[in-house]
Amino acid sequence: MPENTATPVVDFWFDPACPWAWMTSRWMDEVTQVRDVEVRWHVMSLAVLNEGREDLPERYRKLMDTAWAAVRVIIAAERDYGDKVVKPLYDALGTRIHPGKRSDLPAVIAEALEEVGLPADLAAVGDTDEVDDLLRASHARGIGLVGEDVGTPVVAIDGVGYFGPVVTPAPTGEAATQLFDGLVALTRVPGFYELKRTRTAGPQF
């Protein structure tokens, strides 16, 4: 196969509540240090994905009830200040939620907005449905590439999307680039859909 020298465009859909998306985003950060790649960051929503499901464990259902606020705030920030704020706000939220193990979401959101230099009143959007149409549209674009029976993250390379990669700990250095190059190769195989094995470890932040 001839080498494709064009800069890959990666579209990355995340929910800041998801630890696995966080791990994958750290891997993507590593990739951008050593590969010429354009990454565009988007919100998807586990709360939207699981809406109306009665088979969720009680603990997970409670998590879904609280998962609306952060994605709404990111969508509102993107609406008002452009897509350049999406990744910094995700980083500020995710650092507190995942390696920081913070569960006080109102405080986390307030601190993240302050860190990124965004107005504090954006936090109020998290308790309303003001941006839900925009949120659902962003979610639909990501999930439309992979189907309803997956979760977050969704990673698309030049328009070909997959759920995942799901990996822990986040690969660094040469291992990060090897994984990325492998995923690029898979996107160029028409009809390739799935590889999977049972997880035996949780996210290692």
Side-chain angles (χ1 to χ4, degrees), residues 73 89 93 96 104-116 118-120 123:
V73 169
L89 188 51
L93 289 164
R96 290 167 171 80
D104 49 336
L105 196 57
V108 164
I109 290 172
E111 291 172 17
L113 288 170
E114 182 178 11
E115 177 181 323
V116 179
L118 291 170

Side-chain angles (χ1 to χ4, degrees), residues 97-151:
I97 293 169
H98 300 301
K101 301 185 185 304
R102 297 273 299 277
S103 59
D104 49 336
L105 196 57
V108 164
I109 290 172
E111 291 172 17
L113 288 170
E114 182 178 11
E115 177 181 323
V116 179
L118 291 170
D121 58 9
L122 282 172
V125 179
D127 296 323
T128 76
D129 62 2
E130 176 183 333
V131 295
D132 282 10
D133 286 348
L134 294 173
L135 171 60
R136 291 177 187 278
S138 179
H139 174 87
R141 286 192 292 272
I143 212 70
L145 296 173
V146 294
E148 296 285 344
D149 56 343
V150 299

Side-chain angles (χ1 to χ4, degrees), residues 16 34 43 60-61 66 75 83 98 189:
V34 291
V43 171
Y60 196 71
R61 188 178 296 113
T66 63
I75 288 288
D83 56 13
H98 300 301
V189 179

Side-chain angles (χ1 to χ4, degrees), residues 13-188:
W13 278 267
F14 64 89
D15 185 318
C18 178
W20 294 106
W22 179 253
M23 300 304 301
T24 307
S25 71
R26 301 310 92 183
W27 159 71
M28 184 55 61
D29 282 349
E30 282 283 319
V31 171
T32 61
Q33 299 304 308
V34 291
R35 283 284 187 272
D36 183 18
V37 56
E38 177 186 352
V39 185
R40 303 184 298 202
W41 299 87
H42 315 278
V43 171
M44 65 178 292
S45 170
L46 291 173
V48 171
L49 184 67
N50 290 288
E51 216 170 14
R53 287 187 56 184
E54 301 296 333
D55 59 336
L56 295 177
E58 181 64 21
R59 181 182 65 84
Y60 196 71
R61 188 178 296 113
K62 289 180 179 178
L63 175 63
M64 293 304 96
D65 290 341
T66 63
W68 289 96
V71 289
R72 285 168 167 164
V73 169
I74 296 174
I75 288 288
E78 181 180 25
R79 176 198 63 185
D80 295 348
Y81 299 97
D83 56 13
K84 66 183 182 299
V85 304
V86 172
K87 179 60 161 50
L89 188 51
Y90 176 36
D91 288 344
L93 289 164
T95 298
R96 290 167 171 80
I97 293 169
H98 300 301
K101 301 185 185 304
R102 297 273 299 277
S103 59
D104 49 336
L105 196 57
V108 164
I109 290 172
E111 291 172 17
L113 288 170
E114 182 178 11
E115 177 181 323
V116 179
L118 291 170
D121 58 9
L122 282 172
V125 179
D127 296 323
T128 76
D129 62 2
E130 176 183 333
V131 295
D132 282 10
D133 286 348
L134 294 173
L135 171 60
R136 291 177 187 278
S138 179
H139 174 87
R141 286 192 292 272
I143 212 70
L145 296 173
V146 294
E148 296 285 344
D149 56 343
V150 299
T152 177
V154 169
V155 175
I157 299 176
D158 295 331
V160 180
Y162 294 102
F163 164 57
V166 175
V167 61
T168 188
T172 59
E174 184 62 23
T177 59
Q178 288 176 348
L179 177 57
F180 180 74
D181 293 343
L183 188 58
V184 170
L186 292 178
T187 65
R188 297 175 185 164

